[in-house]
Amino acid sequence: MSLNEVYITNTAAFFPNEPISNEDMELYLGFIDDKPSKSKRIVLRNNGIKNRYYALAKGGKATHSNAEMTASAVRALFKNDTGKLKDIELLTCGTATPDQMMPSHAVMVNGALPETKQIEVVSQSGVCCAGMHAFKYAYMAIKSGEVHTAVSTGSERSSRLLVSDLFAEEAQKLKQLEENPYIGFEKEFLRWMLSDGAAAFALSDKPNQTGISLCVDWIEGASYANEMEACMYMGSEKLEDGALTSYMNYPPDEITSRSLLSIKQDVKLLSEYIILLGGKKLKEIFDRRKLDVSKVDYFLPHMSSEFFKSKIYDQLIVNGMSIPYDKWFVNLSTVGNVGAGSIYLAVNELFHSGKLKKGQQILLLVPESSRFSYMYAMLTVC
């Protein structure tokens, strides 16, 4: 049986509200213990983010749901053409921040798109790799001939998890920042890193008749959870031996007092392994596929912070896979870290930039620090 070629025929994005500067972040997220954060300036100094988007009004009131933002990105793919929305055969959605535990994110997005037919919908959970997992499911469905058209999405609504009322425990710990700036840092670190938004890919077994398409050459992934403990987590507490205890094991008052519903990051574990393991798998893929890294025209690495840019660059050199900075395409500074949506947003911006020429190759790299998972893909402009 022959397999179909798979093409990205369009991309689109949706951002809630207006971009928010570094100076205005706490007007939306709130102040912890009624004081400006001391760790904020430490994080922002390193992450290089200048603007981000929140699905919040000032004071922290929600303005958009994750499903609403994602549905808006899907509609933008087809310029709100109801007829084209009816042609979708498969909808796959990835996010780390669904609006509820049940029903799943993808069916809620489908519910916000009443213009579609009764179609298959698939929800991918996880963190940053969730959007790529949604992309791969859609890719495989078209590749195998199960469907002819599909839409995959990546989105996040992290902001409501970052508001000050979810950091009750930190209100006390952060008083000690004068003496030790890293006390409580694991939980407050991500407050200054994350952004909201959604983006979508239209996929087909046929390229565009006019304009460019992106042929999906391959998509691969790997998890190191078999050998690594959790690095980023939510809805749980990390014990001294590295194991996680679910929030369901705690009484309601402790869920709040321990701020178990806030996102936490083990920054020491992150720094030691996230680049090393990601580079290791990328080299293995290129060696096995007999690929030449010098033929990559654009390198799109998802980064949570500019802090990691030079470290990725150096690790590529160590692995014999040097990619000069003039081939990198990163939009972290202008849109922030949108988790599962970040790689979609980078591809979207490049796709509509007017820079792409037929035959060019685009390498995608998405790390996920939660328990060290990675996704990679190669696209060719056609």
Side-chain angles (χ1 to χ4, degrees), residues 70 91-95 105-106 109-110 122-125 130-131 134 151-154:
T70 308
L91 175 66
T92 63
C93 303
T95 189
H105 175 57
V109 175
N110 187 209
V122 176
S123 297
Q124 299 286 357
S125 62
V151 169
S152 71
T153 72

Side-chain angles (χ1 to χ4, degrees), residues 95-135:
T95 189
T97 54
D99 299 308
Q100 61 287 306
M101 296 179 183
M102 293 184 282
S104 75
H105 175 57
V107 298
M108 296 303 290
V109 175
N110 187 209
L113 293 167
E115 305 95 325
T116 61
K117 299 179 295 188
Q118 287 72 47
I119 57 175
E120 180 182 3
V121 295
V122 176
S123 297
Q124 299 286 357
S125 62
V127 192
C128 298
C129 285
M132 284 292 286
H133 292 154
F135 178 28

Side-chain angles (χ1 to χ4, degrees), residues 10 33 43 45 57 66 73 83 85 109 125 155 181 205 209 238 262 276 300 310 320 336 339 363 367:
N10 198 16
D33 203 26
V43 178
R45 186 171 62 231
N66 192 329
L85 285 168
V109 175
S125 62
S155 64
D205 56 8
Q209 292 184 347
K238 191 171 184 180
S262 63
L276 180 68
L300 277 59
S310 63
L363 174 62

Side-chain angles (χ1 to χ4, degrees), residues 200-212:
F201 294 163
L203 295 103
S204 173
D205 56 8
K206 295 180 177 60
N208 290 317
Q209 292 184 347
T210 59
I212 64 168

Side-chain angles (χ1 to χ4, degrees), residues 237-253:
E237 190 77 290
K238 191 171 184 180
L239 307 181
E240 289 186 7
D241 63 359
L244 295 183
T245 299
S246 169
Y247 74 96
M248 291 187 287
N249 295 339
Y250 292 89
D253 61 324

Side-chain angles (χ1 to χ4, degrees), residues 33-58:
D33 203 26
D34 296 320
K35 296 179 182 178
S37 168
K38 292 185 174 67
S39 65
K40 173 185 171 183
R41 64 177 179 270
I42 300 171
V43 178
L44 291 173
R45 186 171 62 231
N46 289 315
N47 70 20
I49 300 172
K50 306 301 181 186
N51 287 292
R52 77 280 298 141
Y53 294 83
Y54 292 147
L56 299 174
K58 288 182 179 178

